[in-house]
Amino acid sequence: MRGFGVILILVLGCLLSASPMESWSEEPPAAPREFRAAWVATVENIDWPSKRGLSTADQKTEIDRILDVAADLNMNAIVLQVRTTADALYASELEPWSLYLTGTQGVAPAPYYDPLEYWVNAAHARGIELHAWFNPYRAQMKPGELADSHVSHTMPSSVIKYDRYLWMDPGNQQAAQHSLAVFNDVVRRYDIDGVHIDDYFYPYPVTQDGEKVPFPDDASWAQYQAGGGKLERDDWRRKNINDLIEQIYKTTHTIKPHVRFGISPFGIGRPGKAPGITGFDQYEELYADAALWLNEGWCDYFTPQLYWPIAQKAQSFPVLLDYWQSENTQSRYVWPGMYTSRVGDKNRGFEKQEIPDQIEVVRRRSEFPGHVHFSMKALLENREGLADTLKAGVYRSAALSPAMTWLDDSPPAAPKVKTEHTANGGRTLTLTPGDDEPVWLWGVWTRASDKWTFTTYPGPTPSIAVASSTTDWVVTAVDRCGNESSRVAGQ
């Protein structure tokens, strides 16, 4: 009888302990992989803060609500605009506080807090990536008072007035190096997951009396020529943008190799490059050679703004997506931007189903899909029930961001999992990293009634509760670049 007791203890010990997945006979599928993000625009208070001059407490409340909605929708990233017009929505010694926070440029929130630090910590506490979104060159949107520390005062020769805007001259090396320093400063001081830039390179052209107004960069062009430059003026302008983008990519990874760099250009590369596509030519008008950046691998993810519906032939969403994928010679990730805020728009509205349909288009065309909504406001407002539709459909399961193996291809060690029974018949899984590398996320599969369910938990989560209805569980550790450890399983 005593020998039987020993055998029973050994059998129970095997059932309750964690084992590598290789020994597990009924595996769950691979973890779903998809980048699911939304832009949070701060310019003109589009998304956050909802208006200028909100109290610190109200600003934090709005941050938490945005992140709670994102987490509830099983989204895994937020792209937060932290520099709109050579300003800062964070504590900076290089540029003044943004007027979109307090209503006055150069004035910090009171009581004092650092918004970007709060955003990063709050996002990470929910297992959500936080990408810092910068405008590289725009310096002022509307006439008004500028702080003494604004570039228009500290580097006046680098700033140009074009139409009603102030613009940092991309051909001015002081301006370019200043913007690069701003990006690098944020990468060094904040635990962000990505650096992101939008489509404002040289400004969108304006016309007067039916004629295009030239960008007034005669001074920097003359300086380039005086230094022996041989390029034609348009090619020189494109080179100015190319040089900055290459530098952002390289310096970001030199400072922190795991921080991703994403670019969000205008959605059409060049008219005629894709079958039947017509429209604005960013190569000629913005001096943005976006296909080159993708060809050269100067980004980790590429988010062309495909802001048209699937059925719009002249700017077809799937045709443009196929075009950009064809330019993806370095196998980076092409995760298009979608104009989600058009849902519910009376003048330019999308049908609600357009958004999940576009997500499915991307999934069918990519092994590692992803997308970014413009903007978070439409999801916060649940326009026409869109958020509910996404949650019940394409977002019904959690997903990991696709791994960026060109940055890091070493998976973390398998986690250590301790199992304890609870009084209600469930179990508590205590999770510990398998080595010294911090865990970004825990990927957890549970099975009940022969159905596997996938969930993610932030790395600092010490333990998770498993319901009594769960028959089996599987846990993996995920690092900052999305690499997943070998599986640990139990009952």
Side-chain angles (χ1 to χ4, degrees):
M1 191 68 182
R2 184 176 180 181
F4 174 79
V6 171
I7 293 171
L8 180 61
I9 290 170
L10 290 172
V11 170
L12 288 174
C14 289
L15 289 175
L16 294 175
S17 65
S19 59
M21 193 61 208
E22 286 73 14
S23 65
W24 196 249
S25 60
E26 295 181 293
E27 297 187 21
R33 292 277 185 170
E34 184 172 58
F35 187 73
R36 299 174 185 166
W39 281 292
V40 172
T42 58
V43 66
E44 297 295 308
N45 300 99
I46 292 173
D47 289 301
W48 177 88
S50 60
K51 61 182 180 180
R52 304 174 193 181
L54 284 182
S55 69
T56 292
D58 286 344
Q59 289 183 19
K60 290 181 177 180
T61 296
E62 290 190 350
I63 294 170
D64 288 332
R65 179 169 179 263
I66 289 171
L67 292 170
D68 285 343
V69 169
D72 184 61
L73 287 173
N74 284 320
M75 297 172 67
N76 50 35
I78 288 292
V79 184
L80 173 69
Q81 191 174 26
V82 299
R83 188 198 200 213
T84 66
T85 47
D87 59 359
L89 284 99
Y90 58 93
S92 173
E93 294 184 357
L94 300 177
E95 295 187 317
W97 285 99
S98 173
L99 63 85
Y100 299 117
L101 287 170
T102 63
T104 303
Q105 192 176 83
V107 174
Y112 177 82
Y113 84 116
D114 186 325
L116 181 53
E117 181 179 43
Y118 189 90
W119 268 102
V120 168
N121 292 338
H124 289 181
R126 294 163 172 83
I128 294 174
E129 297 175 14
L130 197 290
H131 295 229
W133 162 22
F134 301 82
N135 186 286
Y137 297 111
R138 190 174 57 199
Q140 188 183 37
M141 286 279 289
K142 295 179 180 178
E145 184 177 352
L146 296 171
D148 290 343
S149 56
H150 189 260
V151 290
S152 60
H153 297 306
T154 60
M155 298 186 298
S157 63
S158 70
V159 177
I160 291 172
K161 184 176 182 181
Y162 183 66
D163 191 31
R164 58 190 176 90
Y165 291 174
L166 292 183
W167 214 260
M168 297 174 70
D169 178 7
N172 182 290
Q173 291 304 304
Q174 186 182 22
Q177 290 307 305
H178 174 75
S179 285
L180 184 63
V182 167
F183 305 147
N184 292 344
D185 174 57
V186 171
V187 174
R188 288 190 186 96
R189 293 194 295 117
Y190 294 90
D191 190 24
I192 60 172
D193 300 281
V195 168
H196 185 99
I197 62 173
D198 56 22
D199 58 320
Y200 289 98
F201 302 108
Y202 280 83
Y204 282 83
V206 297
T207 59
Q208 185 174 346
D209 299 326
E211 298 291 331
K212 185 172 77 171
V213 178
F215 185 68
D217 55 358
D218 291 342
S220 56
W221 169 240
Q223 185 175 14
Y224 167 75
Q225 290 181 305
K230 303 298 183 183
L231 292 175
E232 297 294 327
R233 192 163 187 167
D234 286 359
D235 291 332
W236 165 74
R237 285 172 171 165
R238 279 185 281 272
K239 184 177 186 301
N240 294 330
I241 306 299
N242 295 343
D243 289 348
L244 181 65
I245 286 174
E246 183 181 12
Q247 289 177 61
I248 297 170
Y249 183 73
K250 290 180 177 179
T251 58
T252 295
H253 293 138
T254 298
I255 298 166
K256 289 180 182 175
H258 71 270
V259 175
R260 305 140 174 86
F261 177 42
I263 306 172
S264 177
F266 182 74
I268 300 171
R270 298 203 71 185
K273 287 287 186 179
I277 297 298
T278 62
F280 183 77
D281 190 340
Q282 63 176 316
Y283 181 89
E284 289 290 346
E285 303 290 359
L286 304 182
Y287 309 99
D289 193 351
L292 175 71
W293 313 331
L294 188 56
N295 294 160
E296 293 289 340
W298 291 340
C299 60
D300 299 303
Y301 66 96
F302 193 78
T303 304
Q305 296 173 24
L306 304 190
Y307 285 173
W308 305 278
I310 293 169
Q312 186 165 317
K313 292 184 178 180
Q315 295 86 31
S316 166
F317 182 95
V319 171
L320 284 166
L321 179 60
D322 288 346
Y323 162 72
W324 288 115
Q325 291 282 23
S326 74
E327 295 285 359
N328 189 20
T329 58
Q330 299 297 322
S331 298
R332 300 307 196 229
Y333 293 139
V334 177
W335 295 333
M338 304 185 307
Y339 208 162
T340 306
S341 289
R342 281 196 174 181
V343 173
D345 186 320
K346 294 180 180 179
N347 298 317
R348 302 181 299 167
F350 282 177
E351 295 293 329
K352 176 179 65 175
Q353 191 58 36
E354 180 72 30
I355 301 305
D357 285 352
Q358 290 188 1
I359 292 172
E360 293 288 11
V361 165
V362 180
R363 288 177 178 179
R364 289 193 296 269
R365 284 164 161 76
S366 177
E367 183 182 0
F368 301 105
H371 52 271
V372 185
H373 297 280
F374 187 85
S375 64
M376 190 66 197
K377 190 172 185 178
L379 301 178
L380 288 173
E381 295 175 353
N382 194 19
R383 293 181 186 171
E384 299 186 359
L386 174 61
D388 294 337
T389 298
L390 294 174
K391 185 177 179 181
V394 293
Y395 287 174
R396 60 185 173 271
S397 172
L400 301 176
S401 287
M404 294 193 173
T405 52
W406 56 91
L407 300 180
D408 174 8
D409 62 358
S410 299
K416 299 173 184 177
V417 185
K418 181 181 178 182
T419 311
E420 296 180 4
H421 281 289
T422 58
N424 63 2
R427 278 137 295 172
T428 298
L429 306 183
T430 301
L431 310 176
T432 307
D435 57 18
D436 293 335
E437 182 179 6
V439 172
W440 161 240
L441 290 175
W442 303 107
V444 179
W445 284 100
T446 54
R447 184 165 68 168
S449 302
D450 292 327
K451 179 183 178 181
W452 287 102
T453 300
F454 181 71
T455 313
T456 61
Y457 295 87
T461 304
S463 62
I464 62 172
V466 176
S468 59
S469 59
T470 297
T471 57
D472 310 300
W473 55 262
V474 171
V475 177
T476 62
V478 182
D479 67 18
R480 292 294 287 271
C481 285
N483 297 300
E484 193 176 10
S485 74
S486 59
R487 294 174 164 189
V488 173
Q491 291 181 318

